[in-house]
Amino acid sequence: MQQFFGRKRRRSPKSPGSDHVPGRWSARGPLRRLRSRLSVRSLAGQVFLLQLAVVVLVVLAALVALVVQARRDSMADARNRTLTAAQTFANSPGLQAALESPDPTASLQPGAEAVRRAAGVDAIIVYRQDGITLTHSDPKQIGKHVIGPYAEAAAGKTFTRTFQGALGLSVISAVPVKDTGGSVVAIVSSVVTVGNVQDRVNQQLPVLFGVAAGSLALAAGGSALVSRRLQRQTHGLGPAEMTRMYEHHDAVLHAVREGVLIVGGDGRLLLANDEARRLLDLPDDAERRPVAALGLNAELTELLTSGRPATDEVHLAGDRLLAVNKRFTAAQGPASRVVTLRDTTELQALSGRAETARRRLQLLYDAGVRIGTTLDVTRTAEELAEVAVPRFADVVTVELLDPVLHGEEPSGASTEMRRTAVVGLEGDHLLYPAGSLIRFVPAHPTAAGAAEGRAVRVEDLSASEGWQAQDPDRARRVLEHGIHSLIVVPLRARGVVLGTAHYWRADDSEPFEEEDVSFAEELGARAAVCIDNARRYTREHTMAVALQRSLLPSRVPEQTALDVAYRYLPARAGVGGDWFDVIPLSGARVALVVGDVVGHGLHAAATMGRLRTAVHNFSVLDVPPEELLGRVDELVAQIDNDEDADDGGQGITGATCLYAVYDPASGQLAVATAGHPGPAVVHPDGTVHFPQLPVSPPLGLGAGLPVESAELTVPEGSRLVLYTDGLVEDRDRDLDVGLAALRDALSGPDRSPETTCAAVVDALMPDRPRDDIALLVARTHRLDPTRIAEWQVPRDPAAVSPVRAACVRRIREWGLGHIDFAAELVLSELVTNAVHYGTEPITVRIVRDRTLICEVSDGSSTSPRLRRAKVTDEGGRGLFLVARFAERWGTRYTPTGKVIWAELSLHGGAGPSVEGLAELLLAEEEPLSGEGSGEDGTAR
């Protein structure tokens, strides 16, 4: 084993003649230890000597190269300095004058010496064109003829070269001096001796040798450190010893019948013996690969790569059960893990049962998380089936009683159920498909389980006569498909059976065992609670939706002023309090209403119905929009006070409403809003305008303050878009962003109201709306001026007849001669009443629309009303005749007075015939009076 894990250091005994004295330190001790460690017989010593030889050669080569380079650099520096000094002196000011002076040497010699010292050269020589020296560092040379290769300089060229001169071997640079005419009059040369250059190089040699020696010492030290580390890694072994040790190591790894793994600190597999490869089914190239990429299960991979030791931990690897031990290598070695594997397949059966129990606990946990995520009965049944397939069964079907699917309470146990979910069969309807109504025969396991309230296990379906009796042909095909085992579990909640769940196993799956029954019952019990909760929610939601649908308008009333389309989109969380209305008013006018009650549920829906009814009732009074909202605000405040006085009462604070009245005769739109977003007006050219409206608080919060309104003139063909805030605002979108998106959806070419509704919903409808949405789009129309006639009537009884005749003529021109008598009678009574009891101005207007509209306006604010006339009264029966001949009649107030209107059917038959008119009046024992009370309270 020492050969496998490393050889111990051997301590040689001291020889008797040794000079080693215990307790005394000697400098030879470390050197002796180093020599022993770096012995040439060890691999570390051989590597050290090789590294040292390579370093010496590299250092010597570098030293030679540095010396040669230093000499080359010094010569180049000498050339540069001589040329620079010569050029500087040759171009110095006053040189020409000095050369032309009687004694040039006296003038030039001091300057030449100064330049020589400053430039660091050995001499600055000036000589004439004929070669006579004028200046020199050696005064003895002045006046002598210069000897040297100065022909190029005499010819006007500058040169630098090495030359043997009076000062010895030197580097000389010569520069010609020219006069103003360009002729060479003198030559300036600068000299540096080669001996001086060599001296500078020699001064650098000690530094170079010192650096070389230091580098050699540093490299030798580094090699020693590397060899020392190699010594530790190889434990001082030589090549032969290492070869022998590897052979032993290989034999041990491949001979033992226990798996051995070595995993590095980075999670890579460093070594695996043959037994480990067999136990783990490792590929041939497993070594040096990450353990996580070897295809092992997650638990075993986590153990092999984690930083914790293990002792006889049991892990599953394929079909083998392994006992795993893991230890870490010694501290001085690399950070790695040594793992041993032992095959303990005999414990697999016990481990399998434990794993099954663990998986079932995990499945129950997943069922608690995944079942009941929605409050939908069908989806909850599907979630139960999806959880159980394939971890518990191959196929799962769920059958529920029909009342449960509709949110109703089951009346009792029944064997007639509707299949709600099927999971595990793709496109093959061997079993009854989803949606089928199944009547289970009494012998069927489902009937027995539902009646007794317990689970029924059928281990072998081929031997179950009761199951096959349900549908023998289908049962045969099911068995041929491979389905062989079944568990039927009744879904019970609060002691009531809601349905059943069928768990089927097929093909190679093991038949259901007795212990599977308790698990199936636990899974069914959890699902039954969720299904019952969804059933209750379905019942409440259905009731709320039915209530709300009954409170919303089922259709748009017929009228000609507007083409109307609408959308109502309930929230996913439940019904809310949004509503809309289209209310025809007198004079072909139409009221558009959109409102919103904050909140959801039955209370919001009921509140919406109360407010809608109130708006309908107040609209009958034909009051302006601001007055109508003011009355509704007072009503809401009163309701809040009444309900606050009752314990637990819920008020309706937070309701908003927009009320708009469109007049097709003038194109005027009167709008008032109580805390509600204003409308959008889409002009015929496609531009979108959001008119600024006076701000009023929501209903119930006005505190008696008056509501303001605004009037707009809307071009014909415009689209009025009314909506609730759920369309443009939610938690994830600000109001400004929503309005911008609405503007983009409405902009563009002209579209019908129906198409506009579809475009707005597609652009702004969120995937899961948190609030319900009401959208109302109306395209405006103007009444044809040829279908409107109007006359001003003076307050003179004699004017009644001409106006009446003019009205009859216009009615006949419109092709309505069959109702001219009724219209003449109604207009005569209304005009006469206005002349006698009203004030000027008096105006008569008739409009041909879906009905014939007769209107008489005057400046009085008093309104006539029906009452019973006495037998002795001579008059008072005018409005009685109007009510009998007209389909509708009434009074509306204007800022300058009132308008009395009546609508006559275009098809006639609205009132009695002419022949029966006298009989009708004579038959009335107590006729009704048609006039109201005057301003002084007397009867008209």
Side-chain angles (χ1 to χ4, degrees), residues 110-465:
E113 287 297 309
V115 172
R116 179 185 67 80
R117 290 190 295 272
V121 297
D122 294 331
I124 296 295
I125 305 172
V126 180
Y127 51 92
R128 295 199 303 261
Q129 179 69 15
D130 56 2
I132 301 301
T133 302
L134 299 179
T135 65
H136 202 282
S137 59
D138 185 3
K140 295 179 181 180
Q141 300 295 328
I142 297 175
K144 296 181 178 181
H145 194 277
V146 67
I147 300 174
Y150 296 106
E152 294 181 12
K157 296 182 179 180
T158 301
F159 70 88
T160 300
R161 64 184 56 179
T162 303
F163 178 72
Q164 184 71 34
L167 298 178
L169 185 62
S170 305
V171 177
I172 300 175
S173 294
V175 178
V177 180
K178 298 179 181 180
D179 59 9
T180 57
S183 300
V184 178
V185 296
I187 298 173
V188 177
S189 66
S190 175
V191 181
V192 173
T193 63
V194 176
N196 291 339
V197 174
Q198 187 66 35
D199 290 341
R200 292 188 179 185
V201 174
N202 294 337
Q203 291 174 2
Q204 299 178 8
L205 289 179
V207 178
L208 295 177
F209 282 111
V211 172
S215 300
L216 183 61
L218 182 61
S223 299
L225 293 177
V226 171
S227 299
R228 183 179 180 184
R229 181 168 181 81
L230 183 60
Q231 173 81 10
R232 291 179 179 178
Q233 296 286 342
T234 61
H235 300 283
L237 299 176
E241 292 176 315
M242 293 184 64
T243 301
R244 185 174 64 256
M245 186 174 182
Y246 175 78
E247 292 173 351
H248 294 172
H249 159 271
D250 189 70
V252 169
L253 282 181
H254 295 289
V256 297
R257 300 306 300 169
E258 187 171 295
V260 179
L261 300 174
I262 298 180
V263 181
D266 58 353
R268 294 181 178 273
L269 180 63
L270 303 180
L271 182 144
N273 69 347
D274 293 344
E275 182 67 9
R277 292 177 180 272
R278 184 184 70 83
L279 294 176
L280 299 178
D281 293 330
L282 297 178
D284 295 337
D285 59 344
E287 294 182 356
R288 298 298 174 183
R289 290 176 58 184
V291 174
L294 297 179
L296 305 178
N297 64 60
E299 293 183 356
L300 184 56
T301 301
E302 189 276 333
L303 174 62
L304 296 180
T305 57
S306 67
R308 62 179 180 87
T311 302
D312 289 335
E313 287 192 12
V314 179
H315 289 271
L316 191 65
D319 57 349
R320 300 183 181 92
L321 205 62
L322 304 179
V324 183
N325 291 273
K326 187 177 75 171
R327 294 293 183 271
F328 297 92
T329 57
Q332 64 270 21
S336 58
R337 308 163 179 86
V338 179
V339 181
T340 61
L341 308 170
R342 187 172 64 257
D343 191 358
T344 58
T345 309
E346 64 275 5
L347 300 176
Q348 185 173 7
L350 178 61
S351 175
R353 288 193 294 269
E355 179 64 17
T356 300
R358 185 194 65 80
R359 287 199 301 265
R360 288 183 176 176
L361 288 176
Q362 181 65 36
L363 180 56
L364 287 176
Y365 171 78
D366 293 343
V369 174
R370 294 177 56 185
I371 299 176
T373 58
T374 65
L375 291 175
D376 182 79
V377 176
T378 301
R379 181 56 191 155
T380 305
E382 293 172 350
E383 289 171 344
L384 167 61
E386 291 169 356
V387 165
V389 175
R391 292 192 286 176
F392 179 66
D394 297 313
V395 180
V396 175
T397 62
V398 180
E399 296 76 29
L400 298 177
L401 299 174
D402 262 350
V404 175
L405 292 172
H406 297 93
E408 301 173 3
E409 185 82 22
S411 57
S414 174
T415 58
E416 184 176 278
M417 303 179 188
R418 190 172 298 276
R419 180 148 290 171
T420 308
V422 179
V423 175
L425 288 178
E426 297 295 336
D428 189 0
H429 297 294
L430 293 172
L431 305 174
Y432 291 107
S436 302
L437 183 63
I438 308 173
R439 296 177 178 86
F440 294 101
V441 299
H444 196 278
T446 302
E452 300 175 10
R454 62 175 180 84
V456 178
R457 177 176 68 96
V458 181
E459 184 177 359
D460 185 5
L461 287 174
S462 61
S464 176
E465 298 179 357

Side-chain angles (χ1 to χ4, degrees), residues 823-887:
E824 181 180 7
L825 179 60
V826 169
L827 286 170
S828 176
E829 293 296 334
L830 295 182
V831 173
T832 302
N833 194 54
V835 169
H836 287 176
Y837 303 105
T839 59
E840 292 183 332
I842 300 173
T843 303
V844 176
R845 186 177 73 162
I846 57 175
V847 178
R848 181 183 178 181
D849 194 35
R850 292 180 179 272
T851 60
L852 180 64
I853 303 172
C854 303
E855 296 180 346
V856 177
S857 63
D858 63 75
S860 173
S861 60
T862 58
S863 174
R865 58 185 177 84
L866 284 173
R867 65 181 181 85
R868 289 189 178 275
K870 297 179 181 180
V871 179
T872 57
D873 290 341
E874 295 183 0
R877 296 174 178 83
L879 284 185
F880 172 74
L881 296 177
V882 172
R884 296 290 290 180
F885 278 92
E887 286 188 336

Side-chain angles (χ1 to χ4, degrees), residues 566-697:
Y566 61 89
R567 293 287 190 278
Y568 174 75
L569 305 172
R572 294 292 178 92
V575 297
D578 290 12
W579 89 91
F580 64 91
D581 246 324
V582 178
I583 306 174
L585 301 177
S586 63
R589 297 173 305 130
V590 180
L592 301 176
V593 188
V594 173
D596 186 6
V597 176
V598 176
H600 298 89
L602 290 175
H603 177 73
T607 301
M608 177 269 289
R610 298 167 72 180
L611 293 182
R612 179 170 176 253
T613 301
V615 171
H616 257 284
N617 293 337
F618 288 132
S619 66
V620 174
L621 301 177
D622 220 341
V623 295
E626 66 275 12
E627 183 177 344
L628 183 141
L629 290 183
R631 297 192 181 195
V632 177
D633 179 70
E634 294 176 0
L635 176 63
V636 171
Q638 182 178 355
I639 294 175
D640 282 340
N641 293 333
D642 294 342
E643 293 189 352
D644 288 342
D646 186 13
D647 294 338
Q650 297 184 12
I652 55 178
T653 301
T656 64
C657 184
L658 183 144
Y659 188 84
V661 176
Y662 174 70
D663 187 354
S666 61
Q668 291 291 320
L669 179 69
V671 186
T673 175
H676 199 87
V681 179
V682 185
H683 293 276
D685 60 357
T687 60
V688 182
H689 175 57
F690 292 95
Q692 296 293 327
L693 303 179
V695 179
S696 298

